[in-house]
Structure formats: structure tokens, C-alpha cells
Coordinates of all heavy atoms in Angstrom, one line a residue:
M496 N 12.7 -5.4 -7.1 CA 11.9 -6.3 -6.2 C 10.9 -5.5 -5.5 O 10.9 -4.3 -5.3 CB 12.9 -7.0 -5.3 CG 13.6 -6.1 -4.3 SD 14.5 -7.1 -3.0 CE 13.7 -6.5 -1.5
S497 N 9.9 -6.3 -5.1 CA 8.8 -5.7 -4.2 C 9.2 -5.8 -2.8 O 9.9 -6.7 -2.4 CB 7.5 -6.4 -4.4 OG 7.0 -6.2 -5.8
R498 N 8.8 -4.8 -2.0 CA 9.1 -4.8 -0.6 C 7.9 -4.4 0.2 O 7.2 -3.4 -0.2 CB 10.2 -3.8 -0.4 CG 11.0 -4.0 0.9 CD 12.3 -3.2 0.9 NE 11.9 -1.7 1.0 CZ 12.5 -0.8 0.2 NH1 13.4 -1.2 -0.7 NH2 12.2 0.4 0.2
S499 N 7.6 -5.1 1.2 CA 6.4 -4.8 2.0 C 6.7 -5.0 3.5 O 7.7 -5.7 3.8 CB 5.2 -5.7 1.6 OG 5.5 -7.0 1.9
K500 N 5.9 -4.4 4.3 CA 6.1 -4.6 5.8 C 4.8 -4.7 6.5 O 3.8 -4.1 6.0 CB 7.0 -3.5 6.4 CG 6.4 -2.1 6.3 CD 7.3 -1.1 7.1 CE 6.6 0.3 7.0 NZ 7.5 1.3 7.5
E501 N 4.8 -5.4 7.6 CA 3.5 -5.5 8.4 C 3.5 -4.4 9.4 O 4.5 -4.2 10.1 CB 3.5 -6.8 9.1 CG 3.4 -8.0 8.1 CD 2.0 -8.1 7.5 OE1 1.0 -8.0 8.1 OE2 2.0 -8.3 6.2
V502 N 2.4 -3.7 9.6 CA 2.3 -2.7 10.6 C 1.0 -3.0 11.4 O 0.1 -3.7 10.9 CB 2.2 -1.2 10.1 CG1 3.5 -0.8 9.4 CG2 1.1 -1.1 9.1
M503 N 1.0 -2.5 12.6 CA -0.2 -2.6 13.4 C -1.1 -1.4 13.3 O -0.6 -0.3 13.4 CB 0.1 -2.8 14.9 CG 0.8 -4.1 15.2 SD -0.1 -5.6 14.7 CE -1.2 -5.8 16.1
L504 N -2.4 -1.6 13.0 CA -3.3 -0.5 12.8 C -4.4 -0.7 13.8 O -4.8 -1.8 14.1 CB -3.9 -0.5 11.4 CG -3.0 -0.1 10.3 CD1 -3.8 -0.1 9.0 CD2 -2.4 1.3 10.5
T505 N -4.9 0.4 14.3 CA -6.1 0.3 15.2 C -7.3 0.7 14.5 O -7.4 1.8 13.9 CB -5.8 1.3 16.4 OG1 -4.6 1.0 17.0 CG2 -6.9 1.2 17.5
C506 N -8.3 -0.2 14.6 CA -9.6 0.1 13.9 C -10.2 1.3 14.5 O -10.4 1.4 15.7 CB -10.5 -1.1 14.1 SG -12.1 -0.9 13.5
P507 N -10.7 2.3 13.7 CA -11.3 3.5 14.2 C -12.7 3.2 14.8 O -13.2 4.0 15.6 CB -11.4 4.4 13.0 CG -11.4 3.5 11.8 CD -10.5 2.3 12.2
E508 N -13.2 2.1 14.5 CA -14.6 1.7 14.9 C -14.6 1.0 16.3 O -15.1 1.4 17.2 CB -15.2 0.8 13.9 CG -16.7 0.7 14.0 CD -17.5 1.9 13.6 OE1 -16.9 2.8 12.8 OE2 -18.7 2.0 13.9
C509 N -13.9 -0.2 16.3 CA -13.9 -1.0 17.5 C -12.6 -1.0 18.3 O -12.5 -1.7 19.3 CB -14.3 -2.4 17.1 SG -13.0 -3.3 16.2
K510 N -11.6 -0.2 17.8 CA -10.3 0.0 18.5 C -9.5 -1.3 18.6 O -8.5 -1.4 19.4 CB -10.5 0.5 19.9 CG -11.4 1.8 20.0 CD -10.9 2.9 19.2 CE -11.8 4.1 19.3 NZ -11.6 5.0 18.2
Q511 N -9.8 -2.3 17.8 CA -9.1 -3.6 17.8 C -7.8 -3.3 17.0 O -7.8 -2.7 15.9 CB -9.9 -4.6 17.1 CG -9.2 -5.9 16.6 CD -9.2 -7.0 17.7 OE1 -9.9 -6.9 18.7 NE2 -8.5 -8.0 17.4
D512 N -6.6 -3.8 17.5 CA -5.4 -3.7 16.7 C -5.2 -4.9 15.8 O -5.5 -6.1 16.2 CB -4.2 -3.7 17.7 CG -4.0 -2.4 18.4 OD1 -4.5 -1.4 17.9 OD2 -3.4 -2.4 19.5
S513 N -4.8 -4.7 14.6 CA -4.6 -5.8 13.7 C -3.5 -5.4 12.7 O -3.2 -4.3 12.5 CB -5.8 -6.3 13.0 OG -6.6 -5.3 12.5
S514 N -2.9 -6.4 12.1 CA -1.8 -6.2 11.2 C -2.3 -5.8 9.8 O -3.3 -6.3 9.3 CB -0.8 -7.3 11.1 OG -1.4 -8.4 10.4
F515 N -1.5 -5.0 9.1 CA -1.8 -4.5 7.7 C -0.5 -4.5 7.0 O 0.5 -4.1 7.5 CB -2.4 -3.1 7.8 CG -2.7 -2.5 6.5 CD1 -3.8 -3.0 5.7 CD2 -2.0 -1.4 6.0 CE1 -4.1 -2.4 4.5 CE2 -2.3 -0.8 4.8 CZ -3.3 -1.3 4.0
T516 N -0.6 -4.9 5.7 CA 0.6 -4.9 4.9 C 0.8 -3.6 4.1 O -0.1 -3.2 3.4 CB 0.6 -6.1 3.9 OG1 0.3 -7.3 4.6 CG2 1.9 -6.1 3.1
I517 N 1.9 -2.9 4.4 CA 2.2 -1.7 3.6 C 3.2 -2.0 2.6 O 4.2 -2.7 2.8 CB 2.8 -0.6 4.6 CG1 1.6 0.0 5.3 CG2 3.6 0.4 3.9 CD1 2.0 1.2 6.2
W518 N 2.9 -1.7 1.3 CA 3.9 -1.9 0.2 C 4.8 -0.7 0.0 O 4.3 0.3 -0.4 CB 3.1 -2.2 -1.1 CG 2.4 -3.5 -1.0 CD1 1.2 -3.8 -0.4 CD2 2.9 -4.8 -1.4 NE1 0.9 -5.1 -0.5 CE2 1.9 -5.8 -1.1 CE3 4.1 -5.2 -2.1 CZ2 2.1 -7.1 -1.4 CZ3 4.2 -6.6 -2.4 CH2 3.3 -7.5 -2.0
E519 N 6.0 -0.9 0.4 CA 7.0 0.2 0.2 C 7.4 0.3 -1.2 O 7.8 1.4 -1.7 CB 8.2 0.0 1.1 CG 7.8 0.0 2.6 CD 9.0 -0.4 3.5 OE1 9.7 -1.4 3.2 OE2 9.2 0.4 4.5
S520 N 7.5 -0.8 -1.9 CA 7.9 -0.8 -3.3 C 7.2 -1.9 -4.0 O 7.0 -3.1 -3.5 CB 9.4 -1.1 -3.3 OG 9.9 -1.3 -4.6
I521 N 6.6 -1.6 -5.2 CA 5.9 -2.6 -5.9 C 6.5 -2.8 -7.3 O 6.7 -1.8 -8.0 CB 4.4 -2.2 -6.1 CG1 3.7 -2.1 -4.7 CG2 3.7 -3.1 -7.1 CD1 2.4 -1.4 -4.8
N522 N 6.8 -4.0 -7.6 CA 7.4 -4.3 -9.0 C 6.4 -5.2 -9.6 O 6.2 -6.4 -9.3 CB 8.7 -4.9 -8.8 CG 9.4 -5.2 -10.2 OD1 8.7 -5.6 -11.2 ND2 10.7 -5.1 -10.3
T523 N 5.7 -4.7 -10.7 CA 4.6 -5.5 -11.3 C 5.1 -6.6 -12.1 O 4.3 -7.5 -12.5 CB 3.7 -4.6 -12.1 OG1 4.5 -3.9 -13.2 CG2 3.0 -3.5 -11.3
T524 N 6.4 -6.6 -12.5 CA 6.9 -7.7 -13.2 C 7.0 -9.0 -12.3 O 6.7 -10.1 -12.7 CB 8.3 -7.4 -13.8 OG1 8.3 -6.1 -14.5 CG2 8.8 -8.5 -14.7
L525 N 7.4 -8.7 -11.0 CA 7.5 -9.8 -10.1 C 6.2 -10.1 -9.4 O 6.0 -11.2 -9.0 CB 8.6 -9.4 -9.0 CG 10.0 -9.2 -9.5 CD1 10.9 -8.6 -8.4 CD2 10.6 -10.5 -10.0
D526 N 5.4 -9.1 -9.2 CA 4.1 -9.3 -8.5 C 3.0 -8.7 -9.4 O 2.4 -7.7 -9.1 CB 4.1 -8.6 -7.1 CG 5.1 -9.2 -6.2 OD1 4.9 -10.3 -5.7 OD2 6.1 -8.5 -5.9
P527 N 2.7 -9.4 -10.5 CA 1.7 -8.9 -11.4 C 0.3 -8.6 -10.8 O -0.4 -7.8 -11.3 CB 1.6 -9.9 -12.6 CG 2.3 -11.1 -12.0 CD 3.2 -10.7 -11.0
E528 N 0.0 -9.4 -9.8 CA -1.3 -9.2 -9.1 C -1.4 -7.9 -8.4 O -2.5 -7.3 -8.2 CB -1.6 -10.4 -8.2 CG -0.9 -10.3 -6.8 CD 0.6 -10.9 -6.9 OE1 1.0 -11.2 -8.1 OE2 1.2 -10.9 -5.9
M529 N -0.3 -7.2 -8.1 CA -0.3 -5.9 -7.5 C -0.8 -4.8 -8.4 O -1.2 -3.7 -7.9 CB 1.1 -5.6 -6.9 CG 1.4 -6.4 -5.6 SD 0.2 -6.4 -4.4 CE 0.2 -4.7 -3.8
K530 N -0.7 -5.0 -9.7 CA -1.1 -4.0 -10.6 C -2.6 -3.7 -10.4 O -3.0 -2.6 -10.3 CB -0.8 -4.5 -12.1 CG -0.9 -3.4 -13.1 CD -0.9 -4.0 -14.5 CE 0.5 -4.2 -15.1 NZ 0.5 -4.5 -16.5
Q531 N -3.4 -4.8 -10.4 CA -4.8 -4.7 -10.2 C -5.1 -4.1 -8.8 O -6.0 -3.3 -8.6 CB -5.4 -6.1 -10.4 CG -7.0 -6.1 -10.4 CD -7.6 -5.1 -11.4 OE1 -7.0 -5.0 -12.5 NE2 -8.6 -4.5 -11.1
A532 N -4.3 -4.6 -7.8 CA -4.6 -4.2 -6.4 C -4.3 -2.7 -6.2 O -5.0 -2.0 -5.4 CB -3.6 -4.9 -5.4
V533 N -3.4 -2.1 -7.0 CA -3.2 -0.6 -7.0 C -4.3 0.1 -7.7 O -4.9 1.1 -7.2 CB -1.8 -0.3 -7.6 CG1 -1.7 1.2 -7.8 CG2 -0.7 -0.8 -6.7
L534 N -4.7 -0.5 -8.9 CA -5.8 0.1 -9.7 C -7.1 0.2 -9.0 O -7.8 1.2 -9.0 CB -5.9 -0.6 -11.0 CG -4.9 -0.4 -12.1 CD1 -5.1 -1.3 -13.3 CD2 -4.9 1.1 -12.6
D535 N -7.5 -0.9 -8.3 CA -8.8 -0.9 -7.6 C -8.6 -0.5 -6.2 O -9.6 -0.6 -5.4 CB -9.4 -2.3 -7.8 CG -8.7 -3.4 -7.0 OD1 -7.9 -3.2 -6.2 OD2 -9.0 -4.6 -7.4
K536 N -7.4 -0.1 -5.8 CA -7.1 0.5 -4.5 C -7.2 -0.5 -3.3 O -7.1 -0.2 -2.2 CB -8.0 1.7 -4.1 CG -7.8 2.8 -5.1 CD -8.6 4.1 -4.6 CE -8.5 5.2 -5.6 NZ -9.5 5.0 -6.7
S537 N -7.3 -1.8 -3.6 CA -7.4 -2.8 -2.6 C -6.1 -2.9 -1.8 O -6.1 -3.4 -0.7 CB -7.9 -4.2 -3.1 OG -6.9 -4.7 -4.1
A538 N -5.0 -2.5 -2.5 CA -3.7 -2.5 -1.8 C -3.6 -1.5 -0.6 O -2.8 -1.6 0.2 CB -2.6 -2.2 -2.8
F539 N -4.6 -0.6 -0.6 CA -4.6 0.5 0.4 C -5.8 0.4 1.3 O -6.1 1.3 2.1 CB -4.5 1.8 -0.3 CG -3.5 1.9 -1.4 CD1 -3.9 1.9 -2.7 CD2 -2.2 1.9 -1.1 CE1 -3.0 1.8 -3.7 CE2 -1.2 1.9 -2.1 CZ -1.6 1.9 -3.4
L540 N -6.5 -0.7 1.2 CA -7.7 -0.8 2.0 C -7.5 -1.8 3.2 O -7.1 -2.9 3.0 CB -8.9 -1.4 1.1 CG -10.3 -1.4 1.7 CD1 -10.7 0.1 1.7 CD2 -11.2 -2.2 0.8
F541 N -7.7 -1.2 4.3 CA -7.6 -2.0 5.5 C -9.0 -2.4 6.0 O -9.9 -1.6 6.2 CB -6.9 -1.1 6.6 CG -7.0 -1.7 8.0 CD1 -6.3 -2.9 8.3 CD2 -7.7 -1.1 9.0 CE1 -6.4 -3.4 9.6 CE2 -7.8 -1.6 10.3 CZ -7.1 -2.8 10.6
E542 N -9.2 -3.7 6.1 CA -10.5 -4.2 6.7 C -10.3 -4.8 8.0 O -9.4 -5.7 8.2 CB -11.1 -5.2 5.7 CG -12.5 -5.6 6.2 CD -13.2 -6.6 5.2 OE1 -12.8 -6.8 4.1 OE2 -14.2 -7.1 5.7
C543 N -11.0 -4.3 9.0 CA -10.9 -4.8 10.4 C -11.4 -6.2 10.4 O -12.5 -6.5 10.0 CB -11.7 -3.9 11.3 SG -11.8 -4.6 13.0
P544 N -10.6 -7.2 10.9 CA -11.0 -8.6 11.0 C -12.1 -8.8 12.0 O -12.8 -9.8 11.9 CB -9.7 -9.3 11.4 CG -8.9 -8.3 12.0 CD -9.2 -7.0 11.4
K545 N -12.3 -7.9 12.9 CA -13.3 -8.0 13.9 C -14.7 -7.5 13.5 O -15.7 -8.2 13.5 CB -12.9 -7.3 15.2 CG -13.7 -7.7 16.4 CD -13.1 -7.0 17.7 CE -14.0 -7.2 18.9 NZ -13.5 -6.3 19.9
C546 N -14.7 -6.2 13.1 CA -16.0 -5.6 12.8 C -16.2 -5.3 11.3 O -17.2 -4.8 10.8 CB -16.2 -4.3 13.6 SG -15.1 -2.9 13.0
H547 N -15.1 -5.6 10.5 CA -15.1 -5.5 9.0 C -15.3 -4.1 8.5 O -15.7 -3.8 7.4 CB -16.2 -6.4 8.4 CG -15.9 -7.9 8.7 ND1 -14.9 -8.6 8.2 CD2 -16.6 -8.7 9.6 CE1 -14.9 -9.8 8.8 NE2 -15.9 -9.9 9.6
K548 N -15.0 -3.1 9.4 CA -15.0 -1.7 9.0 C -13.8 -1.5 8.0 O -12.7 -2.0 8.2 CB -14.8 -0.8 10.2 CG -14.4 0.6 9.9 CD -15.5 1.5 9.8 CE -15.1 3.0 9.6 NZ -16.2 3.8 9.1
K549 N -14.1 -0.9 6.9 CA -13.0 -0.6 5.9 C -12.5 0.8 5.9 O -13.3 1.7 6.0 CB -13.6 -0.9 4.5 CG -13.8 -2.4 4.3 CD -14.4 -2.7 2.9 CE -14.5 -4.2 2.7 NZ -15.4 -4.5 1.6
T550 N -11.2 0.9 5.9 CA -10.5 2.2 6.0 C -9.5 2.3 4.9 O -8.7 1.4 4.7 CB -9.8 2.4 7.3 OG1 -10.5 1.8 8.4 CG2 -9.6 3.9 7.7
N551 N -9.4 3.5 4.2 CA -8.3 3.6 3.2 C -7.1 4.1 3.9 O -7.1 5.1 4.7 CB -8.8 4.7 2.2 CG -9.7 4.0 1.2 OD1 -9.4 3.0 0.5 ND2 -10.9 4.6 1.0
E552 N -6.0 3.5 3.6 CA -4.7 3.9 4.2 C -3.9 4.6 3.1 O -3.7 4.1 2.0 CB -3.9 2.7 4.7 CG -4.6 1.9 5.8 CD -4.8 2.8 7.0 OE1 -3.9 3.6 7.3 OE2 -5.9 2.7 7.7
D553 N -3.4 5.8 3.4 CA -2.7 6.6 2.5 C -1.2 6.5 2.9 O -0.8 6.9 4.0 CB -3.2 8.0 2.5 CG -2.5 8.9 1.4 OD1 -2.1 8.3 0.4 OD2 -2.5 10.1 1.6
Y554 N -0.4 6.0 2.0 CA 1.1 5.9 2.3 C 1.9 6.1 1.1 O 1.4 5.7 0.0 CB 1.4 4.7 3.1 CG 1.1 3.4 2.4 CD1 1.9 2.8 1.5 CD2 -0.1 2.7 2.7 CE1 1.6 1.6 0.9 CE2 -0.5 1.5 2.1 CZ 0.4 1.0 1.2 OH 0.1 -0.2 0.5
G555 N 3.1 6.6 1.2 CA 4.0 6.7 0.1 C 4.6 5.4 -0.3 O 4.9 4.6 0.5
F556 N 4.8 5.2 -1.6 CA 5.4 4.0 -2.1 C 6.0 4.2 -3.5 O 5.7 5.1 -4.2 CB 4.4 2.8 -2.1 CG 3.2 3.0 -3.1 CD1 3.3 2.4 -4.4 CD2 2.2 3.9 -2.8 CE1 2.2 2.7 -5.3 CE2 1.1 4.1 -3.7 CZ 1.2 3.5 -4.9
L557 N 6.8 3.2 -3.9 CA 7.4 3.3 -5.2 C 6.7 2.2 -6.1 O 6.5 1.1 -5.7 CB 8.9 2.9 -5.1 CG 9.7 2.9 -6.4 CD1 9.9 4.2 -7.0 CD2 11.1 2.2 -6.2
Y558 N 6.2 2.7 -7.2 CA 5.5 1.8 -8.1 C 6.3 1.6 -9.4 O 6.6 2.6 -10.1 CB 4.1 2.4 -8.4 CG 3.3 1.5 -9.3 CD1 2.6 0.4 -8.8 CD2 3.1 1.8 -10.7 CE1 1.8 -0.4 -9.7 CE2 2.4 1.1 -11.5 CZ 1.7 0.0 -11.0 OH 0.9 -0.8 -11.9
H559 N 6.7 0.4 -9.7 CA 7.5 0.2 -10.9 C 6.8 -0.9 -11.8 O 6.7 -2.0 -11.5 CB 8.9 -0.4 -10.4 CG 9.9 -0.3 -11.5 ND1 11.2 -0.8 -11.4 CD2 9.9 0.3 -12.7 CE1 11.9 -0.6 -12.5 NE2 11.1 0.0 -13.3
Q560 N 6.3 -0.3 -12.9 CA 5.7 -1.2 -14.0 C 6.7 -1.3 -15.1 O 6.6 -0.6 -16.1 CB 4.4 -0.6 -14.4 CG 3.5 -1.5 -15.2 CD 2.1 -0.9 -15.3 OE1 1.5 -0.5 -14.4 NE2 1.6 -0.8 -16.5
K561 N 7.7 -2.1 -14.9 CA 8.9 -2.2 -15.8 C 8.5 -2.5 -17.2 O 9.1 -1.9 -18.2 CB 9.8 -3.3 -15.2 CG 11.2 -3.1 -15.7 CD 12.1 -4.2 -15.0 CE 13.5 -4.2 -15.5 NZ 14.3 -5.3 -14.9
E562 N 7.5 -3.4 -17.4 CA 7.2 -3.8 -18.8 C 6.7 -2.7 -19.7 O 6.7 -2.7 -20.9 CB 6.2 -5.0 -18.8 CG 4.8 -4.7 -18.2 CD 4.8 -4.9 -16.6 OE1 5.8 -4.8 -16.0 OE2 3.7 -5.2 -16.1
D563 N 6.2 -1.6 -19.0 CA 5.7 -0.5 -19.8 C 6.5 0.8 -19.5 O 6.1 1.9 -19.8 CB 4.2 -0.1 -19.4 CG 3.3 -1.3 -19.7 OD1 3.3 -1.8 -20.8 OD2 2.5 -1.7 -18.8
N564 N 7.7 0.6 -18.9 CA 8.6 1.7 -18.6 C 8.0 2.8 -17.7 O 8.1 3.9 -18.0 CB 9.2 2.3 -19.9 CG 10.1 1.3 -20.6 OD1 10.9 0.6 -19.9 ND2 10.0 1.3 -21.9
I565 N 7.2 2.3 -16.8 CA 6.6 3.3 -15.9 C 7.1 3.1 -14.5 O 7.2 2.0 -14.0 CB 5.0 3.0 -15.8 CG1 4.4 3.3 -17.2 CG2 4.4 3.9 -14.7 CD1 2.9 2.9 -17.3
M566 N 7.6 4.3 -13.9 CA 8.0 4.3 -12.6 C 7.4 5.5 -11.9 O 7.6 6.6 -12.3 CB 9.5 4.3 -12.5 CG 10.1 4.0 -11.1 SD 11.8 4.1 -11.0 CE 12.2 2.5 -10.2
I567 N 6.7 5.3 -10.8 CA 6.1 6.4 -10.1 C 6.5 6.3 -8.6 O 6.5 5.2 -8.0 CB 4.5 6.2 -10.1 CG1 4.1 6.4 -11.6 CG2 3.9 7.3 -9.3 CD1 2.6 5.9 -11.8
H568 N 6.9 7.4 -8.1 CA 7.1 7.4 -6.6 C 6.1 8.3 -6.0 O 6.0 9.5 -6.3 CB 8.5 7.9 -6.3 CG 8.9 7.6 -4.9 ND1 10.1 6.9 -4.6 CD2 8.2 7.7 -3.7 CE1 10.1 6.7 -3.2 NE2 9.0 7.1 -2.7
Y569 N 5.1 7.7 -5.4 CA 4.0 8.4 -4.8 C 4.4 8.9 -3.4 O 4.9 8.0 -2.5 CB 2.8 7.6 -4.7 CG 1.7 8.2 -3.9 CD1 1.0 9.3 -4.4 CD2 1.3 7.7 -2.7 CE1 0.0 9.9 -3.6 CE2 0.3 8.2 -1.9 CZ -0.4 9.4 -2.4 OH -1.3 9.9 -1.7
A570 N 4.3 10.2 -3.1 CA 4.7 10.7 -1.7 C 3.4 11.3 -1.2 O 2.7 12.0 -1.9 CB 5.8 11.7 -1.8
N571 N 3.1 11.0 0.1 CA 1.8 11.5 0.7 C 2.1 12.6 1.7 O 1.2 13.0 2.4 CB 1.0 10.4 1.3 CG 1.6 9.8 2.5 OD1 2.8 9.8 2.6 ND2 0.8 9.2 3.4
S572 N 3.4 13.0 1.8 CA 3.7 14.1 2.7 C 4.9 14.8 2.2 O 5.7 14.3 1.4 CB 4.0 13.6 4.2 OG 5.1 12.8 4.1
D573 N 5.1 16.1 2.7 CA 6.3 16.9 2.3 C 7.6 16.2 2.7 O 8.6 16.1 2.0 CB 6.3 18.2 3.0 CG 5.2 19.1 2.3 OD1 4.7 18.8 1.2 OD2 4.9 20.2 2.9
E574 N 7.5 15.5 3.9 CA 8.7 14.8 4.5 C 9.1 13.7 3.5 O 10.2 13.4 3.2 CB 8.3 14.3 5.8 CG 9.4 13.7 6.6 CD 8.9 13.0 7.9 OE1 8.1 13.7 8.6 OE2 9.3 11.9 8.2
D575 N 8.0 13.0 3.1 CA 8.2 11.8 2.2 C 8.8 12.3 0.8 O 9.7 11.7 0.3 CB 6.9 11.1 2.0 CG 7.1 9.7 1.4 OD1 8.2 9.2 1.6 OD2 6.1 9.2 0.9
A576 N 8.3 13.4 0.3 CA 8.7 14.0 -0.9 C 10.2 14.4 -0.9 O 10.9 14.2 -1.8 CB 7.8 15.2 -1.3
E577 N 10.5 15.0 0.3 CA 11.9 15.4 0.5 C 12.9 14.2 0.5 O 13.9 14.3 -0.1 CB 12.0 16.0 2.0 CG 13.2 16.8 2.3 CD 13.3 18.2 1.6 OE1 12.3 18.7 1.3 OE2 14.4 18.6 1.5
R578 N 12.5 13.1 1.1 CA 13.3 11.9 1.1 C 13.5 11.4 -0.3 O 14.6 10.9 -0.6 CB 12.5 10.9 2.0 CG 13.4 9.7 2.4 CD 12.6 8.9 3.5 NE 11.3 8.5 3.0 CZ 11.0 7.4 2.2 NH1 12.0 6.6 1.8 NH2 9.8 7.1 1.9
V579 N 12.5 11.5 -1.2 CA 12.6 11.0 -2.6 C 13.6 11.9 -3.3 O 14.4 11.4 -4.0 CB 11.2 11.1 -3.2 CG1 11.4 10.7 -4.7 CG2 10.2 10.2 -2.5
Ligands
ZN188 ZN1 -13.1 -2.9 13.9

């Protein structure tokens, strides 16, 4: 299954706090639209609702493309890699 959580991010431009969805686990069989979102990186793009400044968010996640037997665990820190 796919798993996501809402976090609060502060815009680097206008300092406005707003929510952003972090995908901890992506299953493309259940959420086929996420395959494209990962490919075009829109899954990691935070757009400030106030000033529309776009920021790339780097976070670790599990990517499971079951139909092609692909499973990737992306870790963006040593701590994250250790946990995996
Ligand atoms: Zn902003």
C-alpha cells in the first residue's frame, strides 16, 4: 500500500507555513498516477500557495512498481540508509 503524511513546511521566500504531502511509500499498482509524479519529480515539488515559489524537497521513500518487479528504497541520509 501507499503511505503518505502531511508535514508543515516554511516557504524560504515569504516564510509562510503550509502543508506538504510526503510519500513514505509508493505502490504504483495502487496509485498509478504516482509513477508519473516520481518521474517528473512533481511528487517532490513544494509550491508555496502564497507566493508560488517552488522548492524541491528531498526525502527518503520506498518505491514499489510491482507490475515490473521493481522495488527501490531511496535514502537521502546515512541515518535513513541505516534504518533501511
Ligand atoms: Zn512563499
Side-chain angles (χ1 to χ4, degrees):
M496 61 173 240
S497 295
R498 203 168 62 228
S499 63
K500 66 174 178 187
E501 294 290 315
V502 295
M503 290 306 276
L504 290 182
T505 306
C506 173
E508 195 75 17
C509 68
K510 313 297 178 202
Q511 163 96 6
D512 286 335
S513 47
S514 72
F515 177 71
T516 306
I517 280 187
W518 290 85
E519 296 174 311
S520 171
I521 295 167
N522 181 324
T523 59
T524 309
L525 296 173
D526 296 289
E528 74 281 3
M529 287 309 292
K530 195 192 271 189
Q531 189 57 36
V533 169
L534 283 175
D535 66 18
K536 301 189 184 75
S537 62
F539 315 105
L540 192 69
F541 167 68
E542 183 175 349
C543 174
K545 195 178 170 192
C546 71
H547 301 288
K548 163 93 179 164
K549 289 179 179 163
T550 325
N551 280 305
E552 296 301 321
D553 187 23
Y554 58 83
F556 64 99
L557 179 70
Y558 180 79
H559 195 188
Q560 194 169 308
K561 203 175 174 186
E562 63 275 25
D563 300 310
N564 294 319
I565 295 171
M566 191 182 231
I567 297 166
H568 199 128
Y569 171 70
N571 69 335
S572 65
D573 287 347
E574 189 189 312
D575 197 21
E577 190 77 23
R578 197 170 51 82
V579 176

